[in-house]
Amino acid sequence: MSESVPVSEKAKQTETAPSQWVWVDRTVWTERMLAALGNGVKGNKWFSLIDKVYRPSTLQLAWEQVKANKGAAGIDKQSIENFAANEQVYLNELAQDLEQGTYRPQAVRRVEIPKAGGKTRPLGIPTVKDRIVQTAVKRVIEPIFEKEFLPTSYGFRPGKGCKDALREVDGHLKAGYTHVVDADLKGYFDSIPHDLLTKRIEEHISDGRLLQLLASWLQQDIVRDLERWTPTAGTPQGAVISPLLANLYLHPLDETMSKLGYKMVRYADDFVILCQSAETARQALEEVKVWVEENGLTLHPDKTHVGNCLIEGQGFEFLGYRFEAGRRLVRAKSLKSLKDKVREKTKRSRGDSVLAIIADLNPTLRGWFGYFKHAWPTTFQTLDGLIRRRLRAILRKQEKRPGMGRCYDDHRRWPNAYFANLGLFIMDTAWAKASQSR
């Protein structure tokens, strides 16, 4: 199932590829294609792409990506393990169906994922085969759209991430852009108009069969329990291709705000606009309202606001943080989420040793701190205290002594250093070390 590229040719391609394209699939995006991407193609439209999708090497690499990402079975109940048992047979079948135009995606299985506050969010789970084909298509078409996207868009893009977006927001705030439009698109992924999205795709792709493939995914039936329906708008959350299409649809908003001189930072459908005055921020919000209405979307009235984030009560939330009164705080939901995980791992009824519990806790604490280490430092002191208090309560329980580990005697018997010596990850200590190295 693999098409080999000579080692010397691979080395040549890697050496001459511009740094911005080091992530592309070089079995698809050859030197000639990358040169065309850089110089522009006739009419700014790409033809003859479907053959690169069903190419054996593309499908093989796509399958490897899907396998690495794991994930649940779709509506056909075929698991990753089941597909892997006969991968060459299945990949050959996919290649043949795509080449002959007989490939048809199956319905998407929808499940509800729990959120904070007892709410849920819908998640679509395509079949393994459909995930492979979507990944193959993404490998082929992503560079075409990446060339167009602006650097102020950070979500689900190669070489970009949450920390980069937060770094840009922080830079604008330090430069005096403290009047912020905090906008929220209501049900964005479920409300993208198919006709307008298709037009944006067709501005850059003219391969009819590939366009039909993309359209078939937008119109995939959705199955939830005994319900089945065909969506009339949106891209299915959970589908491999959805983030790319969602970014494509909001790209004109990025362009509009950039041409008007606004400092907008966007991560998928979450974006803020940073301004130097309240009047400029209000004008920016009006521009957003016009664009959103013209493009068939809706701003959430209760979650969209303008404020001076230097003033208490007028801050804004972005990617897990809350920026308010000159401080960078952890958003309440993000803080609650960690505390819930800590409580779950430190139940007094848990029969494991404290060493085993600490070993279970540490990966969660390290990962959380790695993302939130720029938060206001008292956050870490408070959390460290909570964690040690719960560990003391476990130690009391193991000695058959009731109590919550709050008393002075418990602190004397099991001081902070006791838990540090057992290897507990101490966030306040980690913050102090990180601050010294900055």
Side-chain angles (χ1 to χ4, degrees):
M1 272 304 303
S2 61
E3 289 182 345
S4 62
V5 178
V7 174
S8 59
E9 182 62 22
K10 283 184 179 179
K12 180 180 176 183
Q13 289 175 350
T14 303
E15 288 172 6
T16 58
S19 58
Q20 72 182 107
W21 301 119
V22 294
W23 54 271
V24 304
D25 183 346
R26 298 309 306 280
T27 66
V28 173
W29 286 90
T30 60
E31 289 296 325
R32 182 178 62 81
M33 286 186 67
L34 284 176
L37 187 65
N39 298 328
V41 293
K42 186 177 180 181
N44 201 31
K45 292 188 177 184
W46 288 79
F47 298 82
S48 302
L49 295 171
I50 190 66
D51 62 302
K52 296 165 182 60
V53 173
Y54 61 69
R55 185 180 291 171
S57 58
T58 307
L59 290 174
Q60 181 69 47
L61 290 170
W63 155 237
E64 289 170 6
Q65 269 188 262
V66 171
K67 181 167 59 173
N69 290 336
K70 300 180 181 179
I75 195 171
D76 63 353
K77 299 182 180 180
Q78 184 179 49
S79 65
I80 293 288
E81 294 75 18
N82 180 268
F83 189 97
N86 290 286
E87 65 178 73
Q88 293 303 318
V89 173
Y90 292 132
L91 290 174
N92 281 327
E93 289 176 354
L94 276 178
Q96 186 175 18
D97 289 344
L98 287 165
E99 184 174 6
Q100 295 177 354
T102 57
Y103 164 81
R104 298 291 182 273
Q106 292 184 267
V108 174
R109 180 167 71 92
R110 173 167 284 194
V111 296
E112 299 295 326
I113 304 298
K115 288 176 62 177
K119 297 181 179 179
T120 62
R121 70 175 179 88
L123 176 69
I125 305 177
T127 64
V128 173
K129 290 180 180 179
D130 289 340
R131 298 206 296 266
I132 292 169
V133 179
Q134 287 189 16
T135 302
V137 169
K138 185 171 179 282
R139 295 177 73 90
V140 172
I141 69 173
E142 188 169 27
I144 296 171
F145 297 122
E146 270 295 320
K147 180 179 179 293
E148 305 296 325
F149 293 161
L150 299 186
T152 52
S153 166
Y154 291 91
F156 307 105
R157 295 186 59 193
K160 291 178 174 285
C162 293
K163 292 181 180 179
D164 302 304
L166 289 165
R167 195 175 296 114
E168 183 170 352
V169 166
D170 197 51
H172 289 321
L173 292 174
K174 289 176 179 176
Y177 293 81
T178 59
H179 294 268
V180 180
V181 178
D182 184 5
D184 185 277
L185 291 169
K186 190 174 181 180
Y188 173 62
F189 284 89
D190 287 329
S191 60
I192 301 173
H194 287 171
D195 56 340
L196 297 180
L197 174 59
T198 300
K199 286 180 181 178
R200 274 162 211 181
I201 297 170
E202 291 174 346
E203 288 174 3
H204 301 285
I205 294 175
S206 285
D207 185 316
R209 289 175 61 188
L210 185 53
L211 291 173
Q212 288 175 3
L213 201 55
L214 290 166
S216 71
W217 290 324
L218 294 179
Q219 295 158 10
Q220 274 178 284
D221 279 3
I222 298 173
V223 175
R224 180 180 58 199
D225 298 328
L226 299 178
E227 296 179 88
R228 185 180 184 117
W229 70 94
T230 303
T232 57
T235 60
Q237 292 196 37
V240 176
I241 203 71
S242 287
L244 178 61
L245 298 181
N247 270 333
L248 174 64
Y249 196 74
L250 287 180
H251 172 62
L253 175 61
D254 298 340
E255 289 185 311
T256 298
M257 303 311 288
S258 177
K259 287 174 183 175
L260 292 172
Y262 292 112
K263 308 291 185 185
M264 186 170 99
V265 181
R266 181 172 66 81
Y267 191 97
D269 60 330
D270 192 2
F271 63 92
V272 291
I273 305 167
L274 302 100
C275 307
Q276 290 182 306
S277 71
E279 179 59 28
T280 305
R282 284 191 290 269
Q283 291 173 357
L285 179 55
E286 290 306 312
E287 294 289 348
V288 170
K289 286 179 177 177
V290 171
W291 189 92
V292 165
E293 185 176 349
E294 289 177 348
N295 288 271
L297 302 174
T298 306
L299 284 175
H300 200 299
D302 300 327
K303 297 181 179 179
T304 300
H305 70 274
V306 175
N308 181 356
C309 68
L310 294 181
I311 298 175
E312 194 80 34
Q314 293 191 30
F316 67 95
E317 296 181 352
F318 188 61
L319 300 179
Y321 280 92
R322 180 168 182 82
F323 296 83
E324 182 170 298
R327 295 176 297 174
R328 187 165 162 176
L329 308 169
V330 178
R331 186 180 65 160
K333 285 183 179 179
S334 303
L335 206 53
K336 182 181 182 301
S337 176
L338 176 66
K339 289 179 179 179
D340 287 345
K341 290 176 183 176
V342 168
R343 291 187 181 103
E344 182 63 30
K345 292 177 182 290
T346 56
K347 291 180 177 179
R348 282 182 293 165
S349 58
R350 183 168 176 173
D352 298 319
S353 67
V354 170
L355 270 175
I357 294 170
I358 287 174
D360 188 27
L361 271 173
N362 278 347
T364 299
L365 301 180
R366 284 196 181 94
W368 193 89
F369 176 81
Y371 185 79
F372 287 108
K373 62 185 175 183
H374 297 291
W376 198 249
T378 55
T379 303
F380 309 120
Q381 298 166 10
T382 303
L383 286 171
D384 287 336
L386 167 70
I387 294 162
R388 285 189 292 255
R389 185 166 66 249
R390 293 190 65 83
L391 291 175
R392 290 186 184 104
I394 291 173
L395 288 167
R396 287 183 65 101
K397 173 79 172 179
Q398 290 176 351
E399 292 184 348
K400 301 187 181 337
R401 296 165 56 221
M404 302 299 292
R406 295 174 182 267
C407 70
Y408 177 68
D409 286 343
D410 287 341
H411 278 263
R412 284 181 55 191
R413 185 172 185 185
W414 301 299
N416 296 352
Y418 173 82
F419 299 104
N421 291 335
L422 288 180
L424 177 67
F425 181 79
I426 310 297
M427 285 188 271
D428 188 45
T429 303
W431 179 86
K433 289 180 180 178
S435 299
Q436 291 172 1
S437 64
R438 287 172 199 162

